[in-house]
Amino acid sequence: MKRVAVVRFPGSNCDFDTLHSARRAGTEAYFVWHRDTDLQGADAVFLPGGFSYGDYLRSGAIARFSPVMAEVQRFAQAGGPVLGICNGFQILCEAGMLPGALMRNSRLSFVSRPVLLRVEQTDTAFTNRYGKGALLRMPVAHGDGRFTADERTLKELEATGRVVVRYFDLDGTPLSETVNGSLNDIAGICNAEGNVVGLMPHPDRAADPAIGNTDGLGFFTSVLSWAGVVK
Amino acid sequence: MAFKVHVRVVPRAGLLDPQGQAVEHALTALGFREASGVRIGKAIELSVDAASADDARARARAMCDKLLANPVTEDYEVEVEAR
């Protein structure tokens, strides 16, 4: 059985949702504290949503220096699958494991609502169970979700197929006004190898029929079929 | 010696600064029509133990590069108070 480490930072609040979803997907999931330096033989690492360190200074800016993050970086460099959800995505960007940054939402308000996503890239550790172009409904809940990158980085992300999911309107048409002002309606991206993925929406809150939506479960089951090798 | 250091972090020019825009609108609404180009950042004050003001500045810049500012979205200025 695949082992999934869910990292908890002070201020994480989606840790249980993430653990629950990973277990529902059929993995052996367990918590790892941010001060730990042992991932306990993980096959995949999840950085959950929340407000690590109260979002002080910038979202994710302090969590990225947690002792566990050096280990997470080593794991990712060896090809290990790492998914950052919401605050986890912010942490991955702050750590330089994904390019760009997540800035204050363009309308300044915290946005908490269901959105529609289009799957743009399926050749990743976390989206290989989806079809390209699949539309997924799942919630967003964030104040700092406006994806920003310099022009060169943005062009490279688009040209190399590293935009993983994009915001769509609930009626299935492209968004004219985005959820949070993200460049190119970007909701999630990956690294060049496809083993590190970050997204602002919450697949962990859309992976159980008991809450009426399992569109996000694929992010957790994809780990089971990822062909990438952890060196 | 302890040097008082002032760090000013501002959103990089050209990036959307919705806070700055909202405050600019509010200033205009209050009749301050002469105000424009509002940008909102952070002011950070700290004491730095260093042998000289130049050393204090260099250490503060290193702190900015590592933690205090995000190189993707923010620029910073460091000022060391004259003693």
mmCIF file with all atom_site columns, all heavy atoms in Angstrom, chain A residues 187-213:
data_model
loop_
_atom_site.group_PDB
_atom_site.id
_atom_site.type_symbol
_atom_site.label_atom_id
_atom_site.label_alt_id
_atom_site.label_comp_id
_atom_site.label_asym_id
_atom_site.label_entity_id
_atom_site.label_seq_id
_atom_site.pdbx_PDB_ins_code
_atom_site.Cartn_x
_atom_site.Cartn_y
_atom_site.Cartn_z
_atom_site.occupancy
_atom_site.B_iso_or_equiv
_atom_site.pdbx_formal_charge
_atom_site.auth_seq_id
_atom_site.auth_comp_id
_atom_site.auth_asym_id
_atom_site.auth_atom_id
_atom_site.pdbx_PDB_model_num
ATOM 1   N N   . ALA A 1 187 ? -5.204  28.068 -11.880 1.00 0.00 ? 187 ALA A N   1
ATOM 2   C CA  . ALA A 1 187 ? -5.596  27.595 -10.548 1.00 0.00 ? 187 ALA A CA  1
ATOM 3   C C   . ALA A 1 187 ? -4.546  26.664 -9.966  1.00 0.00 ? 187 ALA A C   1
ATOM 4   O O   . ALA A 1 187 ? -4.473  26.492 -8.740  1.00 0.00 ? 187 ALA A O   1
ATOM 5   C CB  . ALA A 1 187 ? -6.947  26.866 -10.618 1.00 0.00 ? 187 ALA A CB  1
ATOM 6   N N   . GLY A 1 188 ? -3.755  26.011 -10.846 1.00 0.00 ? 188 GLY A N   1
ATOM 7   C CA  . GLY A 1 188 ? -2.733  25.091 -10.357 1.00 0.00 ? 188 GLY A CA  1
ATOM 8   C C   . GLY A 1 188 ? -1.676  24.846 -11.409 1.00 0.00 ? 188 GLY A C   1
ATOM 9   O O   . GLY A 1 188 ? -1.962  24.907 -12.613 1.00 0.00 ? 188 GLY A O   1
ATOM 10  N N   . ILE A 1 189 ? -0.445  24.607 -10.959 1.00 0.00 ? 189 ILE A N   1
ATOM 11  C CA  . ILE A 1 189 ? 0.676   24.379 -11.862 1.00 0.00 ? 189 ILE A CA  1
ATOM 12  C C   . ILE A 1 189 ? 1.516   23.195 -11.362 1.00 0.00 ? 189 ILE A C   1
ATOM 13  O O   . ILE A 1 189 ? 1.275   22.673 -10.269 1.00 0.00 ? 189 ILE A O   1
ATOM 14  C CB  . ILE A 1 189 ? 1.593   25.627 -11.965 1.00 0.00 ? 189 ILE A CB  1
ATOM 15  C CG1 . ILE A 1 189 ? 2.114   26.022 -10.574 1.00 0.00 ? 189 ILE A CG1 1
ATOM 16  C CG2 . ILE A 1 189 ? 0.867   26.789 -12.609 1.00 0.00 ? 189 ILE A CG2 1
ATOM 17  C CD1 . ILE A 1 189 ? 3.182   27.113 -10.603 1.00 0.00 ? 189 ILE A CD1 1
ATOM 18  N N   . CYS A 1 190 ? 2.479   22.786 -12.187 1.00 0.00 ? 190 CYS A N   1
ATOM 19  C CA  . CYS A 1 190 ? 3.384   21.715 -11.753 1.00 0.00 ? 190 CYS A CA  1
ATOM 20  C C   . CYS A 1 190 ? 4.821   22.074 -12.122 1.00 0.00 ? 190 CYS A C   1
ATOM 21  O O   . CYS A 1 190 ? 5.064   23.015 -12.883 1.00 0.00 ? 190 CYS A O   1
ATOM 22  C CB  . CYS A 1 190 ? 2.996   20.373 -12.371 1.00 0.00 ? 190 CYS A CB  1
ATOM 23  S SG  . CYS A 1 190 ? 3.149   20.294 -14.164 1.00 0.00 ? 190 CYS A SG  1
ATOM 24  N N   . ASN A 1 191 ? 5.765   21.307 -11.603 1.00 0.00 ? 191 ASN A N   1
ATOM 25  C CA  . ASN A 1 191 ? 7.165   21.494 -11.988 1.00 0.00 ? 191 ASN A CA  1
ATOM 26  C C   . ASN A 1 191 ? 7.412   20.767 -13.317 1.00 0.00 ? 191 ASN A C   1
ATOM 27  O O   . ASN A 1 191 ? 6.505   20.119 -13.865 1.00 0.00 ? 191 ASN A O   1
ATOM 28  C CB  . ASN A 1 191 ? 8.117   21.006 -10.879 1.00 0.00 ? 191 ASN A CB  1
ATOM 29  C CG  . ASN A 1 191 ? 8.039   19.500 -10.662 1.00 0.00 ? 191 ASN A CG  1
ATOM 30  O OD1 . ASN A 1 191 ? 7.131   18.835 -11.166 1.00 0.00 ? 191 ASN A OD1 1
ATOM 31  N ND2 . ASN A 1 191 ? 8.982   18.957 -9.916  1.00 0.00 ? 191 ASN A ND2 1
ATOM 32  N N   . ALA A 1 192 ? 8.614   20.868 -13.832 1.00 0.00 ? 192 ALA A N   1
ATOM 33  C CA  . ALA A 1 192 ? 8.895   20.322 -15.162 1.00 0.00 ? 192 ALA A CA  1
ATOM 34  C C   . ALA A 1 192 ? 8.704   18.808 -15.203 1.00 0.00 ? 192 ALA A C   1
ATOM 35  O O   . ALA A 1 192 ? 8.330   18.250 -16.240 1.00 0.00 ? 192 ALA A O   1
ATOM 36  C CB  . ALA A 1 192 ? 10.328  20.681 -15.578 1.00 0.00 ? 192 ALA A CB  1
ATOM 37  N N   . GLU A 1 193 ? 8.943   18.126 -14.102 1.00 0.00 ? 193 GLU A N   1
ATOM 38  C CA  . GLU A 1 193 ? 8.847   16.661 -14.066 1.00 0.00 ? 193 GLU A CA  1
ATOM 39  C C   . GLU A 1 193 ? 7.432   16.171 -13.779 1.00 0.00 ? 193 GLU A C   1
ATOM 40  O O   . GLU A 1 193 ? 7.156   14.977 -13.929 1.00 0.00 ? 193 GLU A O   1
ATOM 41  C CB  . GLU A 1 193 ? 9.799   16.099 -13.008 1.00 0.00 ? 193 GLU A CB  1
ATOM 42  C CG  . GLU A 1 193 ? 11.291  16.296 -13.307 1.00 0.00 ? 193 GLU A CG  1
ATOM 43  C CD  . GLU A 1 193 ? 11.762  17.726 -13.065 1.00 0.00 ? 193 GLU A CD  1
ATOM 44  O OE1 . GLU A 1 193 ? 11.120  18.443 -12.264 1.00 0.00 ? 193 GLU A OE1 1
ATOM 45  O OE2 . GLU A 1 193 ? 12.749  18.140 -13.697 1.00 0.00 ? 193 GLU A OE2 1
ATOM 46  N N   . GLY A 1 194 ? 6.564   17.067 -13.322 1.00 0.00 ? 194 GLY A N   1
ATOM 47  C CA  . GLY A 1 194 ? 5.178   16.675 -13.043 1.00 0.00 ? 194 GLY A CA  1
ATOM 48  C C   . GLY A 1 194 ? 4.987   15.975 -11.714 1.00 0.00 ? 194 GLY A C   1
ATOM 49  O O   . GLY A 1 194 ? 3.887   15.501 -11.420 1.00 0.00 ? 194 GLY A O   1
ATOM 50  N N   . ASN A 1 195 ? 6.034   15.916 -10.890 1.00 0.00 ? 195 ASN A N   1
ATOM 51  C CA  . ASN A 1 195 ? 5.867   15.258 -9.591  1.00 0.00 ? 195 ASN A CA  1
ATOM 52  C C   . ASN A 1 195 ? 5.515   16.242 -8.474  1.00 0.00 ? 195 ASN A C   1
ATOM 53  O O   . ASN A 1 195 ? 5.065   15.830 -7.412  1.00 0.00 ? 195 ASN A O   1
ATOM 54  C CB  . ASN A 1 195 ? 7.129   14.465 -9.203  1.00 0.00 ? 195 ASN A CB  1
ATOM 55  C CG  . ASN A 1 195 ? 8.343   15.353 -8.999  1.00 0.00 ? 195 ASN A CG  1
ATOM 56  O OD1 . ASN A 1 195 ? 8.653   16.169 -9.856  1.00 0.00 ? 195 ASN A OD1 1
ATOM 57  N ND2 . ASN A 1 195 ? 9.018   15.206 -7.872  1.00 0.00 ? 195 ASN A ND2 1
ATOM 58  N N   . VAL A 1 196 ? 5.713   17.544 -8.727  1.00 0.00 ? 196 VAL A N   1
ATOM 59  C CA  . VAL A 1 196 ? 5.318   18.563 -7.744  1.00 0.00 ? 196 VAL A CA  1
ATOM 60  C C   . VAL A 1 196 ? 4.179   19.384 -8.341  1.00 0.00 ? 196 VAL A C   1
ATOM 61  O O   . VAL A 1 196 ? 4.324   19.966 -9.422  1.00 0.00 ? 196 VAL A O   1
ATOM 62  C CB  . VAL A 1 196 ? 6.495   19.490 -7.368  1.00 0.00 ? 196 VAL A CB  1
ATOM 63  C CG1 . VAL A 1 196 ? 6.040   20.553 -6.369  1.00 0.00 ? 196 VAL A CG1 1
ATOM 64  C CG2 . VAL A 1 196 ? 7.658   18.681 -6.805  1.00 0.00 ? 196 VAL A CG2 1
ATOM 65  N N   . VAL A 1 197 ? 3.040   19.391 -7.658  1.00 0.00 ? 197 VAL A N   1
ATOM 66  C CA  . VAL A 1 197 ? 1.855   20.094 -8.143  1.00 0.00 ? 197 VAL A CA  1
ATOM 67  C C   . VAL A 1 197 ? 1.317   20.963 -7.005  1.00 0.00 ? 197 VAL A C   1
ATOM 68  O O   . VAL A 1 197 ? 1.347   20.562 -5.839  1.00 0.00 ? 197 VAL A O   1
ATOM 69  C CB  . VAL A 1 197 ? 0.760   19.096 -8.589  1.00 0.00 ? 197 VAL A CB  1
ATOM 70  C CG1 . VAL A 1 197 ? -0.538  19.831 -8.961  1.00 0.00 ? 197 VAL A CG1 1
ATOM 71  C CG2 . VAL A 1 197 ? 1.245   18.258 -9.782  1.00 0.00 ? 197 VAL A CG2 1
ATOM 72  N N   . GLY A 1 198 ? 0.856   22.165 -7.365  1.00 0.00 ? 198 GLY A N   1
ATOM 73  C CA  . GLY A 1 198 ? 0.193   23.019 -6.387  1.00 0.00 ? 198 GLY A CA  1
ATOM 74  C C   . GLY A 1 198 ? -1.076  23.578 -6.991  1.00 0.00 ? 198 GLY A C   1
ATOM 75  O O   . GLY A 1 198 ? -1.116  23.869 -8.188  1.00 0.00 ? 198 GLY A O   1
ATOM 76  N N   . LEU A 1 199 ? -2.123  23.693 -6.165  1.00 0.00 ? 199 LEU A N   1
ATOM 77  C CA  . LEU A 1 199 ? -3.363  24.313 -6.642  1.00 0.00 ? 199 LEU A CA  1
ATOM 78  C C   . LEU A 1 199 ? -4.070  25.002 -5.490  1.00 0.00 ? 199 LEU A C   1
ATOM 79  O O   . LEU A 1 199 ? -3.923  24.587 -4.337  1.00 0.00 ? 199 LEU A O   1
ATOM 80  C CB  . LEU A 1 199 ? -4.291  23.289 -7.317  1.00 0.00 ? 199 LEU A CB  1
ATOM 81  C CG  . LEU A 1 199 ? -5.162  22.360 -6.484  1.00 0.00 ? 199 LEU A CG  1
ATOM 82  C CD1 . LEU A 1 199 ? -6.220  21.724 -7.364  1.00 0.00 ? 199 LEU A CD1 1
ATOM 83  C CD2 . LEU A 1 199 ? -4.359  21.276 -5.795  1.00 0.00 ? 199 LEU A CD2 1
ATOM 84  N N   . MET A 1 200 ? -4.806  26.063 -5.813  1.00 0.00 ? 200 MET A N   1
ATOM 85  C CA  . MET A 1 200 ? -5.554  26.778 -4.773  1.00 0.00 ? 200 MET A CA  1
ATOM 86  C C   . MET A 1 200 ? -6.861  26.078 -4.405  1.00 0.00 ? 200 MET A C   1
ATOM 87  O O   . MET A 1 200 ? -7.223  26.053 -3.235  1.00 0.00 ? 200 MET A O   1
ATOM 88  C CB  . MET A 1 200 ? -5.836  28.234 -5.203  1.00 0.00 ? 200 MET A CB  1
ATOM 89  C CG  . MET A 1 200 ? -4.617  29.148 -5.197  1.00 0.00 ? 200 MET A CG  1
ATOM 90  S SD  . MET A 1 200 ? -3.602  29.070 -3.690  1.00 0.00 ? 200 MET A SD  1
ATOM 91  C CE  . MET A 1 200 ? -4.734  29.715 -2.451  1.00 0.00 ? 200 MET A CE  1
ATOM 92  N N   . PRO A 1 201 ? -7.642  25.520 -5.336  1.00 0.00 ? 201 PRO A N   1
ATOM 93  C CA  . PRO A 1 201 ? -8.885  24.841 -4.963  1.00 0.00 ? 201 PRO A CA  1
ATOM 94  C C   . PRO A 1 201 ? -8.630  23.595 -4.106  1.00 0.00 ? 201 PRO A C   1
ATOM 95  O O   . PRO A 1 201 ? -7.497  23.114 -4.028  1.00 0.00 ? 201 PRO A O   1
ATOM 96  C CB  . PRO A 1 201 ? -9.505  24.464 -6.310  1.00 0.00 ? 201 PRO A CB  1
ATOM 97  C CG  . PRO A 1 201 ? -8.872  25.378 -7.291  1.00 0.00 ? 201 PRO A CG  1
ATOM 98  C CD  . PRO A 1 201 ? -7.479  25.587 -6.799  1.00 0.00 ? 201 PRO A CD  1
ATOM 99  N N   . HIS A 1 202 ? -9.697  23.111 -3.487  1.00 0.00 ? 202 HIS A N   1
ATOM 100 C CA  . HIS A 1 202 ? -9.589  22.053 -2.485  1.00 0.00 ? 202 HIS A CA  1
ATOM 101 C C   . HIS A 1 202 ? -10.134 20.704 -2.944  1.00 0.00 ? 202 HIS A C   1
ATOM 102 O O   . HIS A 1 202 ? -11.294 20.386 -2.672  1.00 0.00 ? 202 HIS A O   1
ATOM 103 C CB  . HIS A 1 202 ? -10.357 22.465 -1.224  1.00 0.00 ? 202 HIS A CB  1
ATOM 104 C CG  . HIS A 1 202 ? -9.605  23.430 -0.372  1.00 0.00 ? 202 HIS A CG  1
ATOM 105 N ND1 . HIS A 1 202 ? -8.661  23.032 0.543   1.00 0.00 ? 202 HIS A ND1 1
ATOM 106 C CD2 . HIS A 1 202 ? -9.656  24.779 -0.296  1.00 0.00 ? 202 HIS A CD2 1
ATOM 107 C CE1 . HIS A 1 202 ? -8.154  24.096 1.151   1.00 0.00 ? 202 HIS A CE1 1
ATOM 108 N NE2 . HIS A 1 202 ? -8.739  25.172 0.651   1.00 0.00 ? 202 HIS A NE2 1
ATOM 109 N N   . PRO A 1 203 ? -9.314  19.846 -3.555  1.00 0.00 ? 203 PRO A N   1
ATOM 110 C CA  . PRO A 1 203 ? -9.781  18.492 -3.853  1.00 0.00 ? 203 PRO A CA  1
ATOM 111 C C   . PRO A 1 203 ? -10.083 17.710 -2.579  1.00 0.00 ? 203 PRO A C   1
ATOM 112 O O   . PRO A 1 203 ? -10.910 16.794 -2.581  1.00 0.00 ? 203 PRO A O   1
ATOM 113 C CB  . PRO A 1 203 ? -8.608  17.861 -4.625  1.00 0.00 ? 203 PRO A CB  1
ATOM 114 C CG  . PRO A 1 203 ? -7.422  18.706 -4.313  1.00 0.00 ? 203 PRO A CG  1
ATOM 115 C CD  . PRO A 1 203 ? -7.940  20.080 -4.021  1.00 0.00 ? 203 PRO A CD  1
ATOM 116 N N   . ASP A 1 204 ? -9.425  18.104 -1.470  1.00 0.00 ? 204 ASP A N   1
ATOM 117 C CA  . ASP A 1 204 ? -9.655  17.421 -0.183  1.00 0.00 ? 204 ASP A CA  1
ATOM 118 C C   . ASP A 1 204 ? -11.058 17.666 0.347   1.00 0.00 ? 204 ASP A C   1
ATOM 119 O O   . ASP A 1 204 ? -11.522 16.952 1.232   1.00 0.00 ? 204 ASP A O   1
ATOM 120 C CB  . ASP A 1 204 ? -8.610  17.884 0.846   1.00 0.00 ? 204 ASP A CB  1
ATOM 121 C CG  . ASP A 1 204 ? -8.537  19.403 0.973   1.00 0.00 ? 204 ASP A CG  1
ATOM 122 O OD1 . ASP A 1 204 ? -8.431  20.074 -0.074  1.00 0.00 ? 204 ASP A OD1 1
ATOM 123 O OD2 . ASP A 1 204 ? -8.594  19.912 2.105   1.00 0.00 ? 204 ASP A OD2 1
ATOM 124 N N   . ARG A 1 205 ? -11.734 18.685 -0.163  1.00 0.00 ? 205 ARG A N   1
ATOM 125 C CA  . ARG A 1 205 ? -13.106 18.948 0.272   1.00 0.00 ? 205 ARG A CA  1
ATOM 126 C C   . ARG A 1 205 ? -14.107 18.459 -0.769  1.00 0.00 ? 205 ARG A C   1
ATOM 127 O O   . ARG A 1 205 ? -15.267 18.863 -0.762  1.00 0.00 ? 205 ARG A O   1
ATOM 128 C CB  . ARG A 1 205 ? -13.320 20.451 0.511   1.00 0.00 ? 205 ARG A CB  1
ATOM 129 C CG  . ARG A 1 205 ? -12.443 21.011 1.598   1.00 0.00 ? 205 ARG A CG  1
ATOM 130 C CD  . ARG A 1 205 ? -12.810 22.462 1.869   1.00 0.00 ? 205 ARG A CD  1
ATOM 131 N NE  . ARG A 1 205 ? -11.820 23.074 2.746   1.00 0.00 ? 205 ARG A NE  1
ATOM 132 C CZ  . ARG A 1 205 ? -11.868 24.343 3.112   1.00 0.00 ? 205 ARG A CZ  1
ATOM 133 N NH1 . ARG A 1 205 ? -12.846 25.130 2.690   1.00 0.00 ? 205 ARG A NH1 1
ATOM 134 N NH2 . ARG A 1 205 ? -10.935 24.837 3.896   1.00 0.00 ? 205 ARG A NH2 1
ATOM 135 N N   . ALA A 1 206 ? -13.638 17.656 -1.700  1.00 0.00 ? 206 ALA A N   1
ATOM 136 C CA  . ALA A 1 206 ? -14.514 17.158 -2.763  1.00 0.00 ? 206 ALA A CA  1
ATOM 137 C C   . ALA A 1 206 ? -14.115 15.732 -3.110  1.00 0.00 ? 206 ALA A C   1
ATOM 138 O O   . ALA A 1 206 ? -13.847 15.414 -4.263  1.00 0.00 ? 206 ALA A O   1
ATOM 139 C CB  . ALA A 1 206 ? -14.413 18.064 -3.990  1.00 0.00 ? 206 ALA A CB  1
ATOM 140 N N   . ALA A 1 207 ? -14.011 14.892 -2.078  1.00 0.00 ? 207 ALA A N   1
ATOM 141 C CA  . ALA A 1 207 ? -13.526 13.529 -2.314  1.00 0.00 ? 207 ALA A CA  1
ATOM 142 C C   . ALA A 1 207 ? -14.298 12.504 -1.513  1.00 0.00 ? 207 ALA A C   1
ATOM 143 O O   . ALA A 1 207 ? -13.784 11.437 -1.195  1.00 0.00 ? 207 ALA A O   1
ATOM 144 C CB  . ALA A 1 207 ? -12.027 13.465 -1.989  1.00 0.00 ? 207 ALA A CB  1
ATOM 145 N N   . ASP A 1 208 ? -15.532 12.818 -1.159  1.00 0.00 ? 208 ASP A N   1
ATOM 146 C CA  . ASP A 1 208 ? -16.328 11.895 -0.342  1.00 0.00 ? 208 ASP A CA  1
ATOM 147 C C   . ASP A 1 208 ? -17.798 12.016 -0.743  1.00 0.00 ? 208 ASP A C   1
ATOM 148 O O   . ASP A 1 208 ? -18.352 13.120 -0.693  1.00 0.00 ? 208 ASP A O   1
ATOM 149 C CB  . ASP A 1 208 ? -16.151 12.257 1.148   1.00 0.00 ? 208 ASP A CB  1
ATOM 150 C CG  . ASP A 1 208 ? -16.739 11.193 2.062   1.00 0.00 ? 208 ASP A CG  1
ATOM 151 O OD1 . ASP A 1 208 ? -17.690 10.480 1.635   1.00 0.00 ? 208 ASP A OD1 1
ATOM 152 O OD2 . ASP A 1 208 ? -16.256 11.077 3.202   1.00 0.00 ? 208 ASP A OD2 1
ATOM 153 N N   . PRO A 1 209 ? -18.416 10.895 -1.151  1.00 0.00 ? 209 PRO A N   1
ATOM 154 C CA  . PRO A 1 209 ? -19.830 10.971 -1.557  1.00 0.00 ? 209 PRO A CA  1
ATOM 155 C C   . PRO A 1 209 ? -20.725 11.507 -0.437  1.00 0.00 ? 209 PRO A C   1
ATOM 156 O O   . PRO A 1 209 ? -21.795 12.056 -0.706  1.00 0.00 ? 209 PRO A O   1
ATOM 157 C CB  . PRO A 1 209 ? -20.206 9.520  -1.906  1.00 0.00 ? 209 PRO A CB  1
ATOM 158 C CG  . PRO A 1 209 ? -19.024 8.679  -1.590  1.00 0.00 ? 209 PRO A CG  1
ATOM 159 C CD  . PRO A 1 209 ? -17.860 9.547  -1.271  1.00 0.00 ? 209 PRO A CD  1
ATOM 160 N N   . ALA A 1 210 ? -20.279 11.385 0.822   1.00 0.00 ? 210 ALA A N   1
ATOM 161 C CA  . ALA A 1 210 ? -21.081 11.873 1.945   1.00 0.00 ? 210 ALA A CA  1
ATOM 162 C C   . ALA A 1 210 ? -21.291 13.387 1.868   1.00 0.00 ? 210 ALA A C   1
ATOM 163 O O   . ALA A 1 210 ? -22.271 13.908 2.405   1.00 0.00 ? 210 ALA A O   1
ATOM 164 C CB  . ALA A 1 210 ? -20.413 11.512 3.272   1.00 0.00 ? 210 ALA A CB  1
ATOM 165 N N   . ILE A 1 211 ? -20.372 14.104 1.205   1.00 0.00 ? 211 ILE A N   1
ATOM 166 C CA  . ILE A 1 211 ? -20.570 15.551 1.057   1.00 0.00 ? 211 ILE A CA  1
ATOM 167 C C   . ILE A 1 211 ? -21.002 15.904 -0.362  1.00 0.00 ? 211 ILE A C   1
ATOM 168 O O   . ILE A 1 211 ? -21.007 17.066 -0.754  1.00 0.00 ? 211 ILE A O   1
ATOM 169 C CB  . ILE A 1 211 ? -19.317 16.358 1.460   1.00 0.00 ? 211 ILE A CB  1
ATOM 170 C CG1 . ILE A 1 211 ? -18.073 15.863 0.720   1.00 0.00 ? 211 ILE A CG1 1
ATOM 171 C CG2 . ILE A 1 211 ? -19.078 16.290 2.958   1.00 0.00 ? 211 ILE A CG2 1
ATOM 172 C CD1 . ILE A 1 211 ? -16.883 16.774 0.906   1.00 0.00 ? 211 ILE A CD1 1
ATOM 173 N N   . GLY A 1 212 ? -21.368 14.874 -1.131  1.00 0.00 ? 212 GLY A N   1
ATOM 174 C CA  . GLY A 1 212 ? -22.018 15.116 -2.411  1.00 0.00 ? 212 GLY A CA  1
ATOM 175 C C   . GLY A 1 212 ? -21.102 15.451 -3.566  1.00 0.00 ? 212 GLY A C   1
ATOM 176 O O   . GLY A 1 212 ? -21.568 15.950 -4.593  1.00 0.00 ? 212 GLY A O   1
ATOM 177 N N   . ASN A 1 213 ? -19.812 15.200 -3.434  1.00 0.00 ? 213 ASN A N   1
ATOM 178 C CA  . ASN A 1 213 ? -18.905 15.553 -4.519  1.00 0.00 ? 213 ASN A CA  1
ATOM 179 C C   . ASN A 1 213 ? -17.616 14.736 -4.397  1.00 0.00 ? 213 ASN A C   1
ATOM 180 O O   . ASN A 1 213 ? -16.949 14.787 -3.370  1.00 0.00 ? 213 ASN A O   1
ATOM 181 C CB  . ASN A 1 213 ? -18.590 17.057 -4.443  1.00 0.00 ? 213 ASN A CB  1
ATOM 182 C CG  . ASN A 1 213 ? -17.748 17.545 -5.617  1.00 0.00 ? 213 ASN A CG  1
ATOM 183 O OD1 . ASN A 1 213 ? -17.286 16.747 -6.442  1.00 0.00 ? 213 ASN A OD1 1
ATOM 184 N ND2 . ASN A 1 213 ? -17.543 18.842 -5.693  1.00 0.00 ? 213 ASN A ND2 1
#
